[in-house]
Amino acid sequence: MAVLRVRGRALPDGEPVDLYADGDRWTTDPVPNADLVAEGWLIPGLVDAHTHPGASTPGEPLDHDLLRADLRAHAAAGVTMIRSPGLAGDPPDWFGVDPELPRAVYAGPWIAQHGQFFDGWGRRAEHAELSQVAVAQARRSGWVKIIADWRLDDEPLPVDVLRAVVEAVHTVGGRVAVHSQHAAGGAAAVAAGVDSLEHGMCLDPALLHQMARQQTALTPTLDVITASLARRLATPDSPSRRWYVEGAGRHGTLVAAAAEAGVRVLAGTDAPPHGRVADEVRALAAAGMTPHDALGAASWAARDYLGLPGLRVGAPADVVVYPEDPRTDLRMLDHPSAVVLLGRLLSGSE
């Protein structure tokens, strides 16, 4: 296989670099006859940190053909890594290692209290067994996804139960992602010291500084939440409508405040169609994050959070190349000139 070469200005710092793909690692040692596949502005691979590929409708089983198609859509958009905090079934052996598809980390099935979450998806557990179930999953995949709250009138997961889960999972080297769209569930997640809060709608902004101190990341899935606002506004008045309109209406303000407080914000799309992480980047910027930080939430900052370094010697050979600095016009994210994944130029890239 030919050695690939890219050169240009590498974000986040904008320093000029000349990189060669030595297998799946970058090197600056020149390789004779390497193929110069792209020049321009180099981004260390986009990341969708909250996506559920492989099932088009909640409750459906994991479809391996659809999973591959969804991942191809991500890769075509420049996404070289995904985090799936919840899958509809056990992934196939090729998940996360196919050279034509994004790298992947995942949390296995969602874990919820009885009577909560989508029928047909995830596991249900009693409070007394929740830590044991979570630890078993963490040993398999590294991440665990807990549903802290669900419907408006449901009881959220008690903070002492969630704290016990976090402590147990951390003991075996795992990490805990928590779904929350209600104030009580979000407060319990922050108090328990979870690794990432997913959605975080209705979170009390007073908790943001604690999140920053304990390094709890926020994956707000802002674009999909605010996109549903107009539809909910058109429905008849009800407690559920009022909850959603209020929470979604101030979600962008919460995201901007989180970034200002020093919380690690991660870009995630949540719902299909897949390959839309650029929409989330633009939503984060529209909410008040700087274009630099909004892009970082879907690239270098997210990769660092998930354990992958950026564009330096010895780092995994992922890059997305653009002809101009995409921070000057985030619409440019829709048109990469080249995508390199695991040291290979993806088909369709120029």
Side-chain angles (χ1 to χ4, degrees):
M1 185 175 68
V3 173
L4 302 187
R5 177 187 179 194
V6 295
R7 67 186 179 195
R9 294 192 174 274
L11 291 178
D13 298 325
E15 295 295 321
V17 296
D18 197 342
L19 296 171
Y20 299 80
D22 182 9
D24 184 28
R25 290 293 182 269
W26 291 121
T27 181
T28 54
D29 296 333
V31 177
N33 301 316
D35 289 341
L36 180 61
V37 296
E39 295 183 78
W41 285 80
L42 313 181
I43 315 299
L46 296 179
V47 178
D48 191 328
H50 187 124
T51 179
H52 307 292
S56 58
T57 304
E60 289 185 349
L62 189 68
D63 181 322
H64 290 186
D65 290 337
L66 181 60
L67 176 63
R68 185 177 289 277
D70 290 343
L71 293 173
R72 281 177 175 155
H74 279 299
V79 172
T80 62
M81 185 175 192
I82 67 159
R83 182 185 61 150
S84 185
L87 274 177
D90 292 328
D93 292 342
W94 51 258
F95 183 68
V97 296
D98 187 311
E100 291 289 328
L101 302 174
R103 305 171 192 269
V105 294
Y106 69 101
W110 302 261
I111 304 172
Q113 302 179 91
H114 289 285
Q116 297 186 14
F117 202 51
F118 295 112
D119 291 341
W121 271 5
R123 295 194 183 104
R124 307 299 181 271
E126 301 289 348
H127 291 171
E129 64 179 350
L130 198 58
S131 291
Q132 180 180 355
V133 172
V135 164
Q137 181 60 53
R139 286 192 168 122
R140 286 192 293 272
S141 62
W143 277 88
V144 173
K145 175 68 172 293
I146 304 292
I147 306 300
D149 53 43
W150 194 237
R151 291 177 293 266
L152 188 60
D153 296 327
D154 287 345
E155 287 294 325
L157 195 64
V159 65
D160 60 328
V161 174
L162 189 50
R163 184 179 289 118
V165 168
V166 172
E167 291 174 355
V169 170
H170 285 178
T171 297
V172 299
R175 302 172 88 178
V176 180
V178 165
H179 165 105
S180 173
Q181 289 186 276
H182 301 281
V190 174
V194 306
D195 296 286
S196 70
L197 180 61
E198 308 302 304
H199 315 298
M201 200 173 82
C202 300
L203 181 71
D204 183 352
L207 298 173
L208 293 173
H209 288 289
Q210 181 179 347
M211 289 179 66
R213 287 194 303 271
Q214 67 194 29
Q215 299 183 2
T216 295
L218 174 65
T219 317
T221 62
L222 178 61
D223 186 59
V224 71
I225 285 176
T226 54
S228 299
L229 187 54
R231 178 176 58 82
R232 296 300 287 266
L233 282 168
T235 61
D237 184 50
S238 68
S240 177
R241 177 188 183 276
R242 290 193 294 272
W243 153 72
Y244 194 90
V245 168
E246 179 182 355
R250 63 182 182 87
H251 201 43
T253 300
L254 176 72
V255 171
E260 181 67 24
V263 175
R264 174 100 58 157
V265 176
L266 306 175
T269 56
D270 189 28
H274 296 275
R276 299 182 300 104
V277 76
D279 291 341
E280 181 69 3
V281 172
R282 289 186 284 263
L284 296 176
M289 291 180 66
T290 67
H292 178 89
D293 289 344
L295 181 54
S299 181
W300 53 86
R303 289 174 68 90
D304 177 70
Y305 180 79
L306 295 173
L308 286 184
L311 295 172
R312 61 176 176 79
V313 172
D318 301 338
V319 70
V320 187
V321 185
Y322 300 92
E324 304 291 341
D325 185 348
R327 297 171 299 178
T328 63
D329 184 352
L330 293 173
R331 292 174 297 181
M332 199 179 304
L333 295 175
D334 295 328
H335 306 288
S337 54
V339 179
V340 174
L341 172 61
L342 283 87
R344 298 162 59 103
L345 182 67
L346 291 189
S347 58
S349 297
E350 298 178 358

